[in-house]
């Protein structure tokens, strides 16, 4: 039985999500007797709903191979969550209609928790509509919040970026502190969990090393304790480096970033949390500060991706196809750790129904008792994930990232209107 | 005649200023019959005033070699400008006293325009006080604002970081734009000149490529034209990437970063210019945005330094010593370009008196007529400077940067009080 495959990227992209696409497509190409063409959704699942698909068979082997070192989402991603089957049956039916029209028997959905839920529902709909589609989730998220898997592809590279940047900026500040900046604040992603902020902790090994303070979403912000810590760090080491998660909150649950600041017109000023923390340092301690907001730079920095992360991103794509061909359905490949040092991992899988709507949170035991640092257990977990460098090729001083042809697949159905 | 040497770092550090230190120390070590020990100022010139010097002869050859790939200022830098000879003769006399006490016959001052002025005045004072000190400036500044030299060591690596980051973030935004962020803003350094912002322009080659808008300090901010450009970019390409210099100003000369915003207590909100530009985009165009502030990350990112820049930083340090040994005095090594493509350069020198208090500004011909992009001439100038990668060694997933022993030199004089 031969059928085409459909692959889509979902949610916020990462510097290695294309490595998973590469794993899917290269592996599918090795099994031409079973898998015909791999179609990709233009802008994720919306591409399926609107029958806007890309024929990846038009891409050369070299172009597909180059996906492995190209950040962003090569086919476009989408922040679009399908509602439940009861509320929006029409969309699921449409997906199956499109799959039918294009002889698609495999669905690979590359995303986070919501996407795993969607993939599971598509599997259910496929059974109900008696059109067999093998549905496999491919894990991806910089937030590292999927359960069962040791880590989520995308996270390790953000972790490496944040650890490297913290270490580098700290050397800068340390050398300037006597006459200039004494406090440096780096804002990183992680609205709900402190995994990324924790990675900043890898930059140092002793209390004297930066970062001297990490602010986690898990720990309610204690301004007095924070200021005491900054002051002590400046007194003892001459400077202080702070890594702050965008999700850091006041004890009453408000985000620190909602500082109640207003612009000249009275509108709420949407500021980064780094600016808020900097203002606290300035007004309370009168210390000179600088702050950086990494924002998208951290999740697109393929130039400093972790080799381990790239390998895992590729592996979950490859295994997704191999599991599908082995008759598995409604599952997601996961990374299983068998050893910390050296890091050893294999790929297994879990049922999508078990993944959906379940978040992996950071254990309290990964944060020091004072709430400002990471523990040895956390370091043991994180350190393997940033191992190795996997540099992209360069041309004229810049990374040589691939732009695909993205040739459309001819439409066969009437337009579909999303309600 | 054999004498010791004094080396000091000055002003904002860079990812390659230690490569210049490496060039100075390694070259001095090759001429032991002429140069005794190389002392480094702890926290720059303040180290000389306070007689707080570091004996670099206590460092192994491997540690000194590792300076070549270590960002920040290994001995500490200082933002401290000596006043004119008339206003503060005591400080210059103190420098000469310290040099005398430690048998220092060579002064290598690694910094920007102000430091070149200081080095020149020390040379003058040395003549007046009849204590011969050979004074050589070693150029350094990410601002690229020193005259005569083709570029300033430190700039090329910031340029590469900004170009790479712009290219990477653009791929992220492009893939998310349909359902999420449409405008991405990257704030970069350059309070007085747009050299660093211009480097962002290297990320794209056609009008469709990011960055779609660059905001330069040289071009008064035209809000209507800016908004029209952002709107057109989103309409034509689906998204818009903006690189904004921290020095961008309103037509009346106020910095955009002084947005007149107030916090809940009525204090002026010190925001990055990126937040201001984002707020303009939000309120006027109702488009979803994200912004990043590179801040110190850009000038400490040794992990993505330009090979050309590292080589030049080392070369000006090496040549500073060689010029000194050849009998030159009160000069600064400069980089002379003989060819754009391939980039060919040699080291020459100019009199410090000609460098002092003269700034290199960006030619208007490097900015497109509309004020939002770079011209072919600008690209021709910038492109060679970001060539090549010069990766540091890694250990456990992080760059292996050196921490020197920084062994103090025993004091021989009474304390000096800076007035």
């Amino acid at each position: 039985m031969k059928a085409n495959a459909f692959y889509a990227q979902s949610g916020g992209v990462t510097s290695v999500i294309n490595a998973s696409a590469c794993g899917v497509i290269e592996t599918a190409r090795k099994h031409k007797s079973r898998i015909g063409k791999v179609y990709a959704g233009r802008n994720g699942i919306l591409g399926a709903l609107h029958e806007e698909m890309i024929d990846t068979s038009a891409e050369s082997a070299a172009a597909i191979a180059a996906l492995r070192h190209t950040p962003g989402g090569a086919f476009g991603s989408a922040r679009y969550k399908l509602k439940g089957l009861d509320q929006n049956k029409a969309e699921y039916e449409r997906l199956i209609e499109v799959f039918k029209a294009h002889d698609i028997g495999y669905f690979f959905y590359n995303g986070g928790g919501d996407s795993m839920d969607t993939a599971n529902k598509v599997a259910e709909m496929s059974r109900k509509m008696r059109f067999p589609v093998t549905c496999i989730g491919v894990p991806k998220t910089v937030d590292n919040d999927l359960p069962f898997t040791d880590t989520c592809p995308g996270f390790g590279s953000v972790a490496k970026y944040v650890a490297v940047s913290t270490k580098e900026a700290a050397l800068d500040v340390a050398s300037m502190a006597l006459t200039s900046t004494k406090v440096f604040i780096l804002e990183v992603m992680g609205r709900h969990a402190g995994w990324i902020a924790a990675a900043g902790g890898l930059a140092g090994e002793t209390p004297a090393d930066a970062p001297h303070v990490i602010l986690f979403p898990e720990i309610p912000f204690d301004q007095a304790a924070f200021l005491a810590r900054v002051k002590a760090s400046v007194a003892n080491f001459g400077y202080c480096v702070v890594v702050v998660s965008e999700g850091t909150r006041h004890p009453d649950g408000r985000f620190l970033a909602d500082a109640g600041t207003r612009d000249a017109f009275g509108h709420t000023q949407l500021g980064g949390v780094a600016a808020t923390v900097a203002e606290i340092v300035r007004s309370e301690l009168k210390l000179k500060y600088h702050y950086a907001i990494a924002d998208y730079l951290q999740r697109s920095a393929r130039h400093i991706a972790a080799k381990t992360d790239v390998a895992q991103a590729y592996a979950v794509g490859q295994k997704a196809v191999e599991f599908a061909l082995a008759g598995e359905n409604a599952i997601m490949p996961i990374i299983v750790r068998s050893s910390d040092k050296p890091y050893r991992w294999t790929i297994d899988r879990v049922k999508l129904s078990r993944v959906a709507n379940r978040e992996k949170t950071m254990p309290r035991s990964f944060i020091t008792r004072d709430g400002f640092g990471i523990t040895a257990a956390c370091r043991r977990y994180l350190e393997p994930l940033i191992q190795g460098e996997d540099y992209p090729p360069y041309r004229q001083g810049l990374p040589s990232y691939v732009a695909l042809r993205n040739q459309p697949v001819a439409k066969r159905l009437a337009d579909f209107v999303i309600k």
Side-chain angles (χ1 to χ4, degrees), chain A residues 42-240:
Chain A
R42 189 181 293 279
N43 298 308
I45 201 72
L46 291 174
L49 291 171
H50 292 306
E51 206 193 354
E52 289 175 350
M53 296 191 295
I54 290 158
D55 184 357
T56 69
S57 74
E59 311 292 343
S60 68
I64 295 301
L67 284 177
R68 192 181 164 116
H69 64 248
T70 300
F75 313 106
S77 186
R79 291 203 181 281
Y80 185 81
K81 188 185 176 184
L82 272 76
K83 297 203 192 78
L85 273 173
D86 301 336
Q87 299 107 288
N88 203 348
K89 207 174 156 199
E91 288 188 1
Y92 292 93
E93 287 173 346
R94 168 69 176 187
L95 284 182
I96 302 291
E97 290 304 324
V98 170
F99 290 173
K100 227 183 237 178
H102 293 275
D103 193 22
I104 289 166
Y106 304 93
F107 173 36
F108 301 103
Y109 203 23
N110 203 171
D114 286 349
S115 309
M116 297 308 127
D117 185 46
T118 299
N120 195 39
K121 283 177 181 139
V122 172
E124 196 182 327
M125 201 58 171
S126 138
R127 280 192 299 274
K128 278 189 186 158
M129 292 178 69
R130 292 165 198 269
F131 179 77
V133 180
T134 299
C135 296
I136 314 277
V138 184
K140 167 246 54 161
T141 157
V142 296
D143 295 327
N144 203 36
D145 59 359
L146 287 170
F148 301 106
T149 184
D150 183 50
T151 182
C152 302
F155 170 69
S157 294
V158 176
K160 188 180 185 93
Y161 173 94
V162 169
V164 170
S165 297
T166 301
K167 184 167 182 168
E168 291 181 330
L171 287 173
D172 187 310
V173 181
S175 55
M176 299 301 298
L178 185 72
T179 58
S180 181
T181 302
K182 290 200 168 37
V183 181
F184 176 73
I185 300 152
L186 173 61
E187 174 178 330
V188 303
M189 287 181 161
R191 195 141 274 247
H192 304 295
W195 291 110
I196 297 176
L202 295 176
E205 283 169 36
T206 74
D209 296 340
H212 309 97
V213 183
I214 303 174
L215 297 176
F216 298 94
E218 288 83 357
I219 307 291
F221 181 65
D222 178 340
Q223 180 162 324
F226 167 72
L227 288 170
R229 187 63 174 263
V230 172
K231 218 170 151 178
S233 173
V234 172
N236 295 332
F237 317 122
Y239 71 112
C240 182

Side-chain angles (χ1 to χ4, degrees), chain A residues 228-288:
Chain A
R229 187 63 174 263
V230 172
K231 218 170 151 178
S233 173
V234 172
N236 295 332
F237 317 122
Y239 71 112
C240 182
V241 171
V242 179
V243 175
V244 56
S245 164
E246 60 177 345
T248 306
R249 293 163 183 267
H250 290 289
D252 65 6
R254 280 179 305 125
F255 285 114
L256 251 69
D258 299 343
T261 56
R262 302 266 178 271
D263 66 14
F265 309 99
H267 302 136
T268 299
Q269 180 79 11
L270 297 172
V273 64
T276 305
V277 173
E279 176 56 23
I280 292 170
V281 166
R282 186 197 66 76
S283 62
E284 300 298 318
L285 301 179
K286 320 282 180 223
L287 291 172
K288 186 163 159 51

Side-chain angles (χ1 to χ4, degrees), chain A residues 310-379:
Chain A
V310 176
Q312 291 179 334
Y314 186 91
V316 293
Q318 175 191 338
K319 280 294 197 172
V321 174
E322 291 175 359
F323 282 135
L325 293 176
E328 303 263 5
N329 189 14
I331 54 113
M332 175 185 91
I334 57 169
I335 297 150
V336 179
R337 180 188 300 218
S338 56
S339 154
D340 288 326
K341 211 167 184 175
Y343 186 40
R344 287 208 187 88
W345 53 275
T346 51
I347 302 285
D348 199 345
R349 74 283 189 207
V350 288
K351 280 274 160 206
L352 285 173
S353 57
R354 296 185 63 200
V355 176
N357 304 316
R358 219 182 114 176
E359 239 177 70
K360 179 167 78 177
T361 55
M362 193 157 77
R364 182 60 182 83
S365 63
F366 276 19
I367 302 174
T368 50
R369 194 167 301 180
D370 64 13
F372 293 129
I374 62 170
T375 60
C378 184
R379 185 178 295 274

